[in-house]
Amino acid sequence: MILHELIDFEILRVIWWALLGVLLIGFALTDGFDMGVGALLPFVARTDTERRVAINTVGPVWEGNQVWFILGGGAIFAAWPPLYAVSFSGFYLAMFAVLAALILRPVAFKYRSKRADARWRRGWDWALFVGGAVPALLFGVAVGNVLLGVPFYLTEDLFSVYDGSFYGKFLGLLRPFALLAGVVSLAMLLMHGAAWLSLKAEGAVAARARRYGTVAGLVALAGYAAAGVWLAFGVEGYRMVGEVVRDGPSNPLFSEVERGGSWLAAYAERPWIVVAPVMGFLGILLAVAGLRAGREVSTLLWSKMAITGIIASVGLTMFPFILPSTVNPSSSLTVWDSSSSHLTLFVMLVATAIFMPLILAYTAWVYKVLWGKVTEEDVTGPGHSY
């Protein structure tokens, strides 16, 4: 038997679907609080010293946290090539806006404190705000559009065609439901950033973060509930019809898909997936309660649970769909027909099994070394700080 045949193709596809979700959740759990802190910066810190305290809570870790974003993009490219091709071409302008914001952020970190001029520093503070708020909003908008379906189709030779104008590729994404998903994403990460500041800062910065984080958590809670109702009654779902071949060739045109019913029908078919939205709602409620009570470590953990539940609820609700098509439902990308080859998925899984524990161990060690609060004395005294 060939080595890669030890694991069925069907199982490998599910494993890589799950791993993609793990990478996206890992990005939101780590770089999410970085973006949240950046978006909160102009509001929770009123003096230059307070802003430096807030910035230095994430300064030593934000670069490492972005590894999850790179890993997620790499996983899409290697494990789900059609998804990479369609999403990066159809969402091109939105992706460009996200990358521009993410590029602006490191420049702001590095240049902000190079000059003592107040206007110079204020400008870079707003750059950090943009670098945090814009990606947090647009990632949610992207998820909302995935649930609504994307206007693309595949030709007979599997060439993807996006049905829309150049500018429509950005403005067309700003649909009401997608904007609501963007608000949920932004509010969720603001709450996460506030939980981080509550843990890592002290005094006025931590107190203001708790107030803003409480409001953001309540907005996330209401928005997530509203999105669920909207999804149940205002968004048409997708379903596979006929015989579903789970270990066949990676050709979406071989599958028959139709629109109809509700995405939430998945909860009748697989009742156990209700654990994800329960984690989302409960995590937000407990994080908000923790922020109001001034608890620190537990609040951050509850916030992480909320993010895990909210993101997982999308993937579990849509399974096996990854990217539905509104133009030709049979061009929709699913777990069963849009992956790389059996051998490619197996080799990648072996590499992941080797390197992922190393990444996790190193990340845990870094956070252990950097444990503790950032004080005003830390940023005003001798030594390196942002």
Side-chain angles (χ1 to χ4, degrees):
M1 176 182 292
I2 301 175
L3 187 61
H4 71 271
E5 293 181 352
L6 292 173
I7 304 179
D8 292 339
F9 198 12
E10 173 187 353
I11 295 174
L12 276 173
R13 282 170 161 166
V14 174
I15 289 173
W16 272 103
W17 168 81
L19 282 174
L20 178 59
V22 168
L23 293 173
L24 294 177
I25 290 171
F27 171 62
L29 294 183
T30 54
D31 208 37
F33 65 70
D34 297 340
M35 291 187 285
V37 169
L40 286 169
L41 183 62
F43 311 104
V44 300
R46 296 177 182 173
T47 68
D48 182 67
T49 300
E50 288 180 351
R51 293 189 186 100
R52 291 186 68 197
V53 168
I55 292 170
N56 279 276
T57 64
V58 298
V61 297
W62 69 267
E63 289 177 291
N65 291 341
Q66 288 197 144
V67 168
W68 295 95
F69 182 61
I70 298 169
L71 289 174
I76 293 174
F77 174 78
W80 310 100
L83 174 62
Y84 184 90
V86 174
S87 60
F88 276 68
S89 59
F91 294 170
Y92 178 79
L93 290 178
M95 292 285 187
F96 183 84
V98 168
L99 290 176
L102 292 177
I103 291 170
L104 185 62
R105 185 172 62 164
V107 177
F109 273 122
K110 300 299 183 182
Y111 278 83
R112 183 200 181 273
S113 295
K114 295 296 183 182
R115 293 174 59 185
D117 180 77
R119 291 181 59 187
W120 169 272
R121 293 188 173 187
R122 192 181 309 115
W124 288 117
D125 289 341
W126 283 105
L128 286 170
F129 167 80
V130 171
V134 169
L137 176 69
L138 291 183
F139 284 136
V141 170
V143 171
N145 275 281
V146 169
L147 285 163
L148 292 170
V150 179
F152 76 95
Y153 64 91
L154 300 176
T155 63
E156 291 183 357
D157 56 358
L158 298 183
F159 181 78
S160 62
V161 179
Y162 194 88
D163 189 19
S165 66
F166 180 74
Y167 292 103
K169 290 182 179 182
F170 182 75
L171 298 178
L173 300 178
L174 305 180
R175 294 180 278 181
F177 178 81
L179 288 173
L180 175 60
V183 170
V184 173
S185 174
L186 177 59
M188 176 180 73
L189 296 186
L190 286 173
M191 178 188 72
H192 198 42
W196 177 257
L197 285 172
S198 178
L199 173 67
K200 294 290 290 183
E202 59 182 14
V205 173
R208 293 188 199 109
R210 286 192 285 269
R211 289 199 298 271
Y212 282 106
T214 298
V215 174
L218 294 175
V219 171
L221 184 70
Y224 187 47
V229 174
W230 197 333
L231 204 61
F233 300 104
V235 176
E236 194 173 25
Y238 289 74
R239 58 194 174 204
M240 301 186 74
V241 296
E243 182 181 0
V244 178
V245 180
R246 294 176 170 81
D247 58 355
S250 293
N251 186 338
L253 297 180
F254 284 175
S255 302
E256 187 176 352
V257 176
E258 65 179 14
R259 301 188 68 173
S262 168
W263 281 121
L264 301 190
Y267 290 87
E269 299 170 2
R270 304 185 298 276
W272 63 270
I273 67 175
V274 75
V275 67
V278 168
M279 286 175 61
F281 282 116
L282 186 60
I284 293 175
L285 287 172
L286 292 172
V288 167
L291 286 168
R292 290 175 60 86
R295 292 188 287 270
E296 297 177 354
V297 176
S298 62
T299 299
L300 185 64
L301 294 177
W302 294 131
S303 179
K304 289 179 182 291
M305 185 177 85
I307 292 172
T308 301
I310 290 172
I311 296 177
S313 67
V314 176
L316 291 171
T317 298
M318 292 184 62
F319 184 86
F321 289 92
I322 301 176
L323 190 66
S325 168
T326 58
V327 177
N328 177 16
S330 290
S331 293
S332 299
L333 308 181
T334 74
V335 172
W336 311 127
D337 57 27
S338 56
S339 72
S340 291
S341 68
H342 192 170
L343 177 60
T344 299
L345 294 184
F346 178 79
V347 172
M348 289 172 55
L349 183 62
V350 172
T352 301
I354 295 171
F355 291 106
M356 183 63 76
L358 297 177
I359 294 172
L360 292 173
Y362 177 74
T363 301
W365 178 79
V366 168
Y367 278 92
K368 181 178 184 298
V369 170
L370 298 173
W371 188 258
K373 290 184 177 292
V374 177
T375 66
E376 293 189 1
E377 290 75 18
D378 292 329
V379 300
T380 57
H384 173 74
S385 63
Y386 286 104

